[in-house]
Amino acid sequence: MDIAKADIVQSDAGRDKGKLFFVLDVEDEYLLLADGKSRKVEAPKRKKYRHVRFVSSVETRVSAKITGEEIITNSELRKALAVFRETDYPIQEG
């Protein structure tokens, strides 16, 4: 499955392993990722496709703003990822 703009991915490598991110843009073999907390919209993380895992392509207000190239705030990203974690992607314990 190809990873597209506004998808939610999980980092599989590096110090941010296990964290969820929104894909802000796709550049050749790289993705620009942000979560609004450790990686802000102003300075997204540049990561290769092979170092992330596709999680979801949910249609939210934030994903519509990303694909429509509207301005997104860091708080919008944080809130959208928090809601996604609570409803669709609960953290498994033990």
Coordinates of all heavy atoms in Angstrom, one line a residue:
M1 N 0.8 -1.2 0.0 CA 0.0 0.0 0.0 C 0.9 1.2 0.0 O 1.8 1.3 0.8 CB -0.9 0.0 1.2 CG -1.6 1.3 1.5 SD -3.1 1.0 2.5 CE -4.1 2.1 1.6
D2 N 0.6 2.2 -0.9 CA 1.3 3.4 -0.9 C 0.8 4.4 0.2 O -0.3 4.5 0.5 CB 1.1 4.1 -2.3 CG 1.9 3.4 -3.4 OD1 2.8 2.7 -3.1 OD2 1.5 3.5 -4.5
I3 N 1.8 5.0 0.7 CA 1.5 6.0 1.8 C 1.3 7.4 1.1 O 2.1 7.8 0.3 CB 2.6 6.1 2.8 CG1 2.8 4.7 3.5 CG2 2.4 7.2 3.8 CD1 4.0 4.6 4.4
A4 N 0.2 8.0 1.4 CA -0.1 9.3 0.7 C -0.2 10.4 1.8 O -0.2 10.2 3.0 CB -1.5 9.2 0.0
K5 N -0.3 11.6 1.2 CA -0.5 12.8 2.1 C -1.7 12.6 3.0 O -2.7 12.1 2.5 CB -0.7 14.0 1.1 CG -0.3 15.3 1.6 CD -0.3 16.3 0.5 CE 0.1 17.6 0.9 NZ 0.1 18.6 -0.1
A6 N -1.6 13.1 4.2 CA -2.6 13.1 5.2 C -2.9 11.7 5.9 O -3.8 11.6 6.7 CB -3.9 13.6 4.7
D7 N -2.1 10.7 5.5 CA -2.2 9.4 6.2 C -1.6 9.4 7.6 O -0.7 10.3 7.8 CB -1.5 8.3 5.4 CG -2.3 7.9 4.1 OD1 -3.5 8.3 4.0 OD2 -1.7 7.2 3.3
I8 N -2.0 8.5 8.4 CA -1.3 8.4 9.7 C -0.4 7.2 9.6 O -0.7 6.1 9.2 CB -2.4 8.2 10.8 CG1 -3.2 9.4 10.9 CG2 -1.7 7.9 12.2 CD1 -4.4 9.3 11.9
V9 N 0.9 7.4 10.1 CA 1.9 6.4 10.0 C 2.5 6.2 11.4 O 2.4 7.1 12.2 CB 3.0 6.6 9.0 CG1 2.4 6.6 7.6 CG2 3.7 8.0 9.3
Q10 N 3.2 5.1 11.6 CA 3.9 4.9 12.9 C 5.4 4.7 12.5 O 5.7 3.9 11.6 CB 3.4 3.6 13.6 CG 4.1 3.4 14.9 CD 3.5 2.2 15.6 OE1 2.9 1.3 15.0 NE2 3.6 2.1 16.9
S11 N 6.3 5.3 13.3 CA 7.7 5.2 13.1 C 8.2 3.8 13.5 O 7.8 3.3 14.6 CB 8.4 6.3 13.8 OG 9.8 6.1 13.7
D12 N 8.9 3.1 12.7 CA 9.5 1.8 13.0 C 11.0 1.8 13.3 O 11.6 0.8 13.6 CB 9.2 0.8 11.8 CG 7.8 0.3 11.9 OD1 7.2 0.4 12.9 OD2 7.4 -0.3 10.9
A13 N 11.6 3.0 13.1 CA 13.1 3.1 13.3 C 13.4 4.5 13.9 O 12.7 5.4 13.6 CB 13.8 2.9 12.0
G14 N 14.5 4.5 14.6 CA 15.0 5.8 15.1 C 14.5 6.0 16.5 O 13.8 5.2 17.1
R15 N 14.9 7.2 17.1 CA 14.5 7.5 18.5 C 13.0 7.8 18.7 O 12.5 7.8 19.8 CB 15.3 8.6 19.0 CG 15.1 9.9 18.3 CD 15.8 11.1 18.9 NE 17.3 10.8 18.8 CZ 18.2 11.7 19.2 NH1 17.9 12.8 19.7 NH2 19.5 11.4 19.1
D16 N 12.3 8.0 17.5 CA 10.9 8.2 17.6 C 10.1 6.9 17.3 O 8.9 7.0 17.1 CB 10.5 9.3 16.7 CG 10.9 9.1 15.2 OD1 11.4 8.0 14.9 OD2 10.7 9.9 14.4
K17 N 10.7 5.8 17.4 CA 10.1 4.5 17.2 C 8.8 4.3 18.0 O 8.8 4.6 19.2 CB 11.0 3.4 17.5 CG 10.5 2.0 17.1 CD 11.6 0.9 17.4 CE 11.0 -0.4 17.0 NZ 12.1 -1.4 17.1
G18 N 7.7 4.0 17.3 CA 6.4 3.7 18.0 C 5.5 4.9 18.0 O 4.3 4.8 18.3
K19 N 6.0 6.1 17.6 CA 5.1 7.3 17.7 C 4.3 7.4 16.4 O 4.7 7.0 15.3 CB 6.0 8.5 17.8 CG 6.6 8.7 19.2 CD 7.3 10.0 19.3 CE 7.9 10.2 20.7 NZ 8.6 11.5 20.8
L20 N 3.1 8.0 16.5 CA 2.3 8.2 15.4 C 2.5 9.6 14.8 O 2.7 10.6 15.6 CB 0.8 8.1 15.8 CG 0.3 6.7 16.3 CD1 -1.1 6.8 16.7 CD2 0.5 5.7 15.2
F21 N 2.4 9.7 13.5 CA 2.6 11.0 12.8 C 1.6 11.1 11.7 O 1.2 10.1 11.1 CB 4.0 11.1 12.2 CG 5.1 11.1 13.2 CD1 5.8 9.9 13.5 CD2 5.6 12.3 13.7 CE1 6.8 9.9 14.4 CE2 6.6 12.3 14.6 CZ 7.2 11.1 15.0
F22 N 1.3 12.4 11.3 CA 0.6 12.7 10.1 C 1.6 12.9 9.0 O 2.7 13.5 9.2 CB -0.3 13.9 10.2 CG -1.7 13.7 10.7 CD1 -2.0 14.0 12.0 CD2 -2.6 13.2 9.8 CE1 -3.3 13.8 12.4 CE2 -3.9 13.0 10.3 CZ -4.3 13.3 11.6
V23 N 1.3 12.4 7.8 CA 2.2 12.7 6.6 C 1.7 14.0 6.0 O 0.6 14.2 5.6 CB 2.0 11.6 5.5 CG1 2.9 11.9 4.3 CG2 2.4 10.2 6.1
L24 N 2.7 15.0 6.1 CA 2.3 16.3 5.6 C 2.6 16.4 4.1 O 2.0 17.2 3.4 CB 3.1 17.4 6.3 CG 2.9 17.5 7.8 CD1 3.7 18.7 8.4 CD2 1.4 17.7 8.1
D25 N 3.6 15.7 3.6 CA 4.0 15.8 2.2 C 4.8 14.5 1.8 O 5.4 13.9 2.7 CB 4.8 17.0 1.9 CG 4.7 17.4 0.5 OD1 4.0 16.8 -0.3 OD2 5.4 18.4 0.1
V26 N 4.9 14.2 0.5 CA 5.6 13.1 0.0 C 6.7 13.7 -1.0 O 6.3 14.4 -1.9 CB 4.7 12.1 -0.7 CG1 5.5 10.9 -1.2 CG2 3.7 11.6 0.3
E27 N 7.9 13.4 -0.7 CA 9.0 13.8 -1.6 C 9.8 12.6 -2.1 O 10.6 12.1 -1.3 CB 9.9 14.8 -0.9 CG 9.3 16.1 -0.5 CD 10.3 17.0 0.3 OE1 11.3 16.4 0.8 OE2 10.0 18.2 0.4
D28 N 9.7 12.2 -3.3 CA 10.4 11.0 -3.8 C 10.3 9.8 -2.9 O 9.3 9.3 -2.7 CB 11.9 11.4 -4.1 CG 12.0 12.5 -5.2 OD1 11.1 12.5 -6.1 OD2 12.9 13.3 -5.1
E29 N 11.5 9.5 -2.2 CA 11.5 8.4 -1.3 C 11.3 8.8 0.2 O 11.4 8.0 1.1 CB 12.7 7.5 -1.5 CG 14.0 8.3 -1.1 CD 15.3 7.5 -1.4 OE1 15.4 6.9 -2.5 OE2 16.2 7.6 -0.6
Y30 N 11.0 10.0 0.4 CA 10.9 10.6 1.7 C 9.5 11.0 2.0 O 8.8 11.5 1.2 CB 11.9 11.7 2.0 CG 13.3 11.3 2.0 CD1 14.1 11.4 0.9 CD2 13.9 10.9 3.2 CE1 15.4 11.1 0.9 CE2 15.2 10.5 3.2 CZ 16.0 10.6 2.1 OH 17.3 10.2 2.1
L31 N 9.2 11.0 3.3 CA 7.9 11.5 3.8 C 8.2 12.6 4.8 O 9.2 12.6 5.5 CB 7.1 10.4 4.6 CG 6.8 9.2 3.8 CD1 6.3 8.1 4.8 CD2 5.8 9.4 2.7
L32 N 7.4 13.7 4.8 CA 7.5 14.7 5.8 C 6.5 14.5 6.9 O 5.3 14.5 6.6 CB 7.4 16.1 5.2 CG 8.4 16.5 4.2 CD1 8.2 17.9 3.6 CD2 9.8 16.5 4.8
L33 N 6.9 14.3 8.1 CA 6.0 13.8 9.2 C 6.0 14.9 10.3 O 7.0 15.5 10.6 CB 6.5 12.5 9.8 CG 6.8 11.4 8.8 CD1 7.4 10.2 9.6 CD2 5.5 11.0 8.1
A34 N 4.8 15.0 10.9 CA 4.6 15.9 12.0 C 3.6 15.3 13.0 O 2.6 14.7 12.5 CB 4.2 17.3 11.6
D35 N 3.7 15.6 14.3 CA 2.8 15.2 15.3 C 2.3 16.3 16.1 O 1.4 16.2 17.0 CB 3.3 14.0 16.1 CG 4.5 14.5 17.0 OD1 4.9 15.6 16.9 OD2 4.9 13.6 17.8
G36 N 2.9 17.5 15.9 CA 2.4 18.7 16.7 C 3.1 18.9 18.0 O 2.9 19.9 18.6
K37 N 3.9 17.9 18.4 CA 4.5 17.9 19.7 C 6.0 17.9 19.6 O 6.7 18.9 19.7 CB 4.0 16.8 20.6 CG 4.5 16.9 22.1 CD 3.9 15.9 22.9 CE 4.4 16.0 24.4 NZ 3.8 15.0 25.2
S38 N 6.5 16.7 19.3 CA 8.0 16.5 19.1 C 8.4 17.0 17.7 O 9.5 17.5 17.6 CB 8.4 15.1 19.3 OG 7.8 14.2 18.4
R39 N 7.6 16.9 16.8 CA 7.8 17.4 15.4 C 6.7 18.3 15.0 O 5.6 17.9 14.8 CB 7.9 16.2 14.4 CG 9.2 15.6 14.4 CD 10.3 16.6 14.1 NE 11.6 16.0 14.2 CZ 12.7 16.5 13.7 NH1 12.7 17.6 13.1 NH2 13.9 15.9 13.9
K40 N 7.1 19.6 14.9 CA 6.1 20.6 14.6 C 5.8 20.7 13.1 O 6.6 20.2 12.3 CB 6.6 22.0 15.1 CG 7.1 22.0 16.6 CD 5.9 22.1 17.5 CE 6.5 22.2 18.9 NZ 5.5 22.3 19.9
V41 N 4.8 21.4 12.8 CA 4.4 21.6 11.4 C 5.5 22.5 10.7 O 5.8 22.3 9.5 CB 3.0 22.4 11.3 CG1 2.7 22.7 9.9 CG2 1.9 21.5 11.8
E42 N 6.1 23.4 11.4 CA 7.1 24.3 10.9 C 8.4 23.6 10.5 O 9.1 24.0 9.7 CB 7.4 25.4 11.8 CG 6.2 26.3 12.2 CD 5.4 25.7 13.4 OE1 5.9 24.9 14.2 OE2 4.2 26.0 13.4
A43 N 8.7 22.5 11.2 CA 9.9 21.7 11.0 C 9.6 20.2 11.0 O 9.9 19.5 12.0 CB 10.9 22.1 12.1
P44 N 9.0 19.7 10.0 CA 8.6 18.3 10.0 C 9.8 17.4 9.9 O 10.8 17.7 9.4 CB 7.7 18.2 8.7 CG 8.1 19.3 7.9 CD 8.5 20.4 8.8
K45 N 9.6 16.1 10.3 CA 10.6 15.1 10.3 C 10.7 14.5 8.9 O 9.6 14.1 8.3 CB 10.3 14.0 11.3 CG 11.2 12.8 11.2 CD 12.6 13.1 11.7 CE 13.5 11.9 11.7 NZ 14.9 12.2 11.7
R46 N 11.8 14.4 8.3 CA 12.0 13.8 7.0 C 12.4 12.4 7.2 O 13.5 12.1 7.8 CB 13.1 14.6 6.2 CG 13.1 14.3 4.8 CD 14.0 15.3 4.1 NE 14.3 15.0 2.7 CZ 15.5 14.7 2.3 NH1 16.5 14.8 3.0 NH2 15.6 14.3 1.0
K47 N 11.6 11.4 6.7 CA 11.9 10.0 7.0 C 11.6 9.2 5.8 O 10.7 9.5 5.0 CB 11.0 9.6 8.2 CG 11.5 8.4 9.0 CD 10.7 8.4 10.3 CE 11.2 7.3 11.2 NZ 12.4 7.7 12.0
K48 N 12.4 8.1 5.6 CA 12.2 7.2 4.4 C 11.0 6.3 4.6 O 10.6 6.0 5.7 CB 13.4 6.4 4.2 CG 14.6 7.2 3.7 CD 15.7 6.2 3.2 CE 16.8 7.1 2.6 NZ 17.8 6.2 2.0
Y49 N 10.4 6.0 3.5 CA 9.2 5.1 3.5 C 9.5 3.8 4.3 O 8.6 3.4 5.0 CB 8.9 4.6 2.0 CG 8.0 5.6 1.2 CD1 8.6 6.5 0.4 CD2 6.7 5.5 1.4 CE1 7.8 7.3 -0.4 CE2 5.8 6.4 0.6 CZ 6.4 7.3 -0.3 OH 5.7 8.1 -1.0
R50 N 10.6 3.2 4.1 CA 10.9 1.9 4.8 C 11.0 2.0 6.3 O 11.0 1.0 6.9 CB 12.1 1.3 4.2 CG 13.4 2.0 4.4 CD 14.6 1.3 3.8 NE 15.8 2.1 4.0 CZ 16.7 2.3 3.2 NH1 16.6 1.7 2.0 NH2 17.8 3.0 3.5
H51 N 11.1 3.2 6.8 CA 11.2 3.4 8.3 C 9.9 3.7 9.0 O 9.9 4.0 10.1 CB 12.3 4.5 8.6 CG 13.7 4.1 8.2 ND1 14.6 5.0 7.8 CD2 14.2 2.8 8.0 CE1 15.7 4.4 7.5 NE2 15.5 3.1 7.6
V52 N 8.8 3.6 8.2 CA 7.5 3.9 8.8 C 6.6 2.8 8.4 O 6.8 2.1 7.4 CB 6.9 5.3 8.4 CG1 7.8 6.4 8.9 CG2 6.7 5.3 6.9
R53 N 5.5 2.6 9.1 CA 4.5 1.6 8.9 C 3.1 2.4 8.7 O 2.8 3.2 9.6 CB 4.4 0.6 10.0 CG 3.4 -0.5 9.8 CD 3.6 -1.6 10.8 NE 3.6 -1.0 12.2 CZ 2.6 -1.1 13.1 NH1 1.5 -1.7 12.7 NH2 2.8 -0.6 14.2
F54 N 2.4 2.1 7.7 CA 1.1 2.6 7.4 C 0.1 2.2 8.5 O 0.1 1.0 8.9 CB 0.5 2.2 6.1 CG -0.9 2.7 5.8 CD1 -1.1 3.9 5.4 CD2 -1.9 1.8 6.0 CE1 -2.4 4.3 5.2 CE2 -3.2 2.2 5.8 CZ -3.5 3.5 5.4
V55 N -0.6 3.1 9.1 CA -1.6 2.8 10.1 C -3.0 3.1 9.7 O -3.9 2.2 9.8 CB -1.3 3.7 11.4 CG1 -2.4 3.4 12.5 CG2 0.0 3.3 12.0
S56 N -3.3 4.2 9.1 CA -4.7 4.6 8.7 C -4.7 5.7 7.8 O -3.8 6.5 7.7 CB -5.5 4.9 10.0 OG -6.8 5.3 9.7
S57 N -5.8 5.8 7.1 CA -6.1 7.0 6.2 C -7.4 7.5 6.5 O -8.3 7.7 5.7 CB -6.0 6.6 4.7 OG -6.9 5.6 4.4
V58 N -7.6 7.8 7.8 CA -8.9 8.3 8.3 C -9.2 9.7 7.7 O -8.3 10.5 7.5 CB -9.0 8.4 9.8 CG1 -8.9 7.0 10.4 CG2 -7.9 9.3 10.4
E59 N -10.5 9.9 7.4 CA -10.9 11.2 6.9 C -11.4 12.1 8.1 O -12.4 11.8 8.7 CB -12.1 11.0 6.0 CG -11.7 10.4 4.6 CD -10.8 11.3 3.9 OE1 -10.9 12.6 3.9 OE2 -9.8 10.8 3.2
T60 N -10.5 13.0 8.4 CA -10.8 13.9 9.5 C -10.7 15.4 9.0 O -10.3 15.6 7.8 CB -9.8 13.8 10.7 OG1 -8.5 14.1 10.2 CG2 -9.9 12.4 11.3
R61 N -11.1 16.3 9.8 CA -11.0 17.7 9.4 C -9.5 18.1 9.1 O -9.2 18.8 8.2 CB -11.5 18.6 10.5 CG -11.6 20.0 10.2 CD -12.4 20.8 11.3 NE -12.3 22.2 11.0 CZ -11.5 23.0 11.6 NH1 -10.7 22.6 12.5 NH2 -11.5 24.3 11.3
V62 N -8.6 17.5 10.0 CA -7.2 17.8 9.8 C -6.6 17.2 8.5 O -5.9 17.8 7.8 CB -6.4 17.2 11.0 CG1 -4.9 17.4 10.8 CG2 -6.8 18.0 12.3
S63 N -7.0 16.0 8.2 CA -6.6 15.3 6.9 C -7.1 16.1 5.7 O -6.4 16.2 4.7 CB -7.0 13.9 6.9 OG -8.3 13.7 6.9
A64 N -8.3 16.6 5.8 CA -8.9 17.4 4.7 C -8.1 18.7 4.6 O -7.8 19.2 3.4 CB -10.3 17.7 5.0
K65 N -7.6 19.3 5.7 CA -6.8 20.5 5.6 C -5.4 20.2 5.0 O -4.9 21.0 4.2 CB -6.7 21.1 7.0 CG -7.9 21.8 7.5 CD -7.8 22.4 8.8 CE -7.3 23.8 8.7 NZ -7.3 24.5 10.0
I66 N -4.9 19.1 5.3 CA -3.6 18.7 4.8 C -3.6 18.5 3.3 O -2.8 19.0 2.5 CB -3.0 17.5 5.5 CG1 -2.7 17.7 6.9 CG2 -1.7 17.0 4.8 CD1 -2.3 16.5 7.8
T67 N -4.6 17.7 2.8 CA -4.7 17.5 1.4 C -5.2 18.7 0.6 O -4.8 18.9 -0.5 CB -5.8 16.4 1.1 OG1 -7.0 16.7 1.7 CG2 -5.2 15.0 1.6
G68 N -5.9 19.6 1.3 CA -6.3 20.9 0.6 C -5.3 22.0 0.8 O -5.5 23.1 0.3
E69 N -4.1 21.6 1.4 CA -3.0 22.5 1.6 C -3.4 23.8 2.3 O -2.9 24.9 2.0 CB -2.3 22.8 0.2 CG -1.8 21.6 -0.4 CD -0.8 21.8 -1.5 OE1 -0.3 23.0 -1.6 OE2 -0.5 20.9 -2.2
E70 N -4.3 23.7 3.3 CA -4.6 24.8 4.1 C -3.6 24.8 5.3 O -2.9 23.9 5.5 CB -6.0 24.6 4.7 CG -7.1 24.6 3.6 CD -8.5 24.4 4.2 OE1 -8.8 24.9 5.3 OE2 -9.3 23.7 3.6
I71 N -3.6 25.9 6.0 CA -2.8 26.0 7.2 C -3.3 25.2 8.3 O -4.4 25.2 8.7 CB -2.7 27.5 7.6 CG1 -2.0 28.3 6.5 CG2 -1.9 27.6 8.9 CD1 -2.0 29.8 6.8
I72 N -2.3 24.4 8.9 CA -2.7 23.5 10.0 C -1.9 24.0 11.2 O -0.7 24.3 11.1 CB -2.2 22.1 9.7 CG1 -2.7 21.7 8.3 CG2 -2.8 21.1 10.7 CD1 -1.7 20.8 7.7
T73 N -2.5 23.9 12.4 CA -1.7 24.2 13.6 C -1.3 23.0 14.3 O -1.8 21.9 14.1 CB -2.6 25.0 14.6 OG1 -3.7 24.2 15.0 CG2 -3.1 26.3 13.9
N74 N -0.3 23.1 15.2 CA 0.3 22.0 15.9 C -0.8 21.4 16.9 O -0.9 20.2 17.0 CB 1.5 22.4 16.7 CG 2.7 22.7 15.7 OD1 3.0 21.9 14.8 ND2 3.3 23.8 15.9
S75 N -1.6 22.3 17.4 CA -2.6 21.8 18.4 C -3.7 20.9 17.6 O -4.2 20.0 18.2 CB -3.3 22.9 19.1 OG -4.0 23.8 18.2
E76 N -4.0 21.3 16.4 CA -4.9 20.5 15.6 C -4.4 19.1 15.4 O -5.1 18.1 15.5 CB -5.2 21.1 14.3 CG -6.1 22.3 14.4 CD -6.3 23.0 13.0 OE1 -5.3 23.1 12.2 OE2 -7.4 23.5 12.8
L77 N -3.1 19.0 15.1 CA -2.4 17.7 14.9 C -2.5 16.9 16.2 O -2.8 15.7 16.1 CB -1.0 17.8 14.4 CG -0.8 18.3 13.0 CD1 0.7 18.4 12.7 CD2 -1.4 17.4 12.0
R78 N -2.1 17.5 17.3 CA -2.1 16.8 18.6 C -3.4 16.3 18.9 O -3.6 15.1 19.3 CB -1.6 17.7 19.7 CG -0.1 18.0 19.7 CD 0.4 18.6 20.9 NE -0.3 19.8 21.3 CZ 0.0 21.1 20.9 NH1 1.0 21.3 20.1 NH2 -0.7 22.1 21.3
K79 N -4.5 17.1 18.8 CA -5.8 16.7 19.1 C -6.3 15.5 18.2 O -6.9 14.6 18.7 CB -6.8 17.9 19.0 CG -6.5 18.9 20.1 CD -7.4 20.1 20.0 CE -7.1 21.2 21.0 NZ -7.8 22.4 20.8
A80 N -6.0 15.6 16.9 CA -6.5 14.6 16.0 C -5.8 13.3 16.3 O -6.5 12.2 16.3 CB -6.2 15.0 14.6
L81 N -4.5 13.3 16.6 CA -3.8 12.1 16.9 C -4.3 11.5 18.3 O -4.4 10.3 18.4 CB -2.3 12.3 16.9 CG -1.7 12.5 15.5 CD1 -0.2 12.9 15.7 CD2 -1.8 11.2 14.7
A82 N -4.6 12.4 19.2 CA -5.1 11.9 20.5 C -6.4 11.2 20.3 O -6.7 10.1 20.9 CB -5.2 13.1 21.5
V83 N -7.3 11.8 19.6 CA -8.6 11.2 19.3 C -8.5 9.8 18.6 O -9.1 8.9 18.9 CB -9.5 12.1 18.5 CG1 -10.8 11.4 18.0 CG2 -9.9 13.3 19.3
F84 N -7.6 9.8 17.6 CA -7.3 8.6 16.9 C -6.8 7.5 17.8 O -7.2 6.3 17.7 CB -6.3 8.8 15.7 CG -6.0 7.6 15.0 CD1 -6.9 7.0 14.1 CD2 -4.8 6.9 15.2 CE1 -6.6 5.9 13.4 CE2 -4.5 5.8 14.5 CZ -5.4 5.2 13.6
R85 N -5.8 7.8 18.7 CA -5.3 6.8 19.6 C -6.4 6.3 20.5 O -6.4 5.1 20.8 CB -4.2 7.5 20.5 CG -2.9 7.4 19.9 CD -1.8 7.9 20.9 NE -0.8 8.6 20.2 CZ -0.7 9.9 20.1 NH1 -1.5 10.7 20.7 NH2 0.3 10.4 19.4
E86 N -7.3 7.1 21.0 CA -8.3 6.7 21.9 C -9.4 5.8 21.3 O -9.8 4.8 21.9 CB -9.1 7.9 22.5 CG -8.2 8.7 23.5 CD -9.0 9.9 24.0 OE1 -10.1 10.1 23.6 OE2 -8.3 10.7 24.7
T87 N -9.7 6.1 20.0 CA -10.8 5.4 19.4 C -10.4 4.2 18.5 O -10.9 3.1 18.6 CB -11.7 6.3 18.5 OG1 -10.8 6.9 17.5 CG2 -12.3 7.4 19.3
D88 N -9.4 4.4 17.7 CA -9.0 3.4 16.7 C -7.7 2.6 17.0 O -7.5 1.6 16.4 CB -8.9 4.0 15.3 CG -10.2 4.7 14.8 OD1 -11.2 4.2 15.3 OD2 -10.1 5.7 14.1
Y89 N -6.8 3.2 17.8 CA -5.5 2.6 17.9 C -5.1 2.7 19.4 O -4.1 3.3 19.7 CB -4.5 3.5 17.1 CG -3.3 2.8 16.7 CD1 -3.2 1.8 15.7 CD2 -2.0 3.1 17.3 CE1 -2.1 1.1 15.4 CE2 -0.9 2.5 16.9 CZ -0.9 1.5 16.0 OH 0.3 0.9 15.6
P90 N -5.8 1.9 20.2 CA -5.4 1.9 21.7 C -4.1 1.3 21.9 O -3.7 0.4 21.2 CB -6.5 1.1 22.3 CG -7.0 0.2 21.2 CD -6.9 1.0 19.9
I91 N -3.3 1.9 22.8 CA -2.0 1.4 23.2 C -2.2 0.1 23.9 O -2.9 0.0 24.9 CB -1.2 2.4 24.0 CG1 -1.0 3.7 23.2 CG2 0.1 1.8 24.5 CD1 -0.4 4.8 24.0
Q92 N -1.5 -1.0 23.5 CA -1.7 -2.3 24.1 C -0.7 -2.4 25.2 O 0.5 -2.0 25.1 CB -1.5 -3.4 23.1 CG -2.5 -3.4 22.0 CD -2.3 -4.5 21.0 OE1 -1.4 -5.3 21.2 NE2 -3.1 -4.5 20.0
E93 N -1.1 -2.9 26.4 CA -0.2 -3.0 27.5 C 0.0 -4.5 27.8 O -0.8 -5.3 27.5 CB -0.9 -2.4 28.7 CG -1.1 -0.9 28.6 CD -1.8 -0.3 29.8 OE1 -2.4 -1.0 30.6 OE2 -1.7 0.9 30.0
G94 N 1.2 -4.7 28.4 CA 1.5 -6.0 28.9 C 1.6 -7.1 27.9 O 1.7 -8.2 27.9

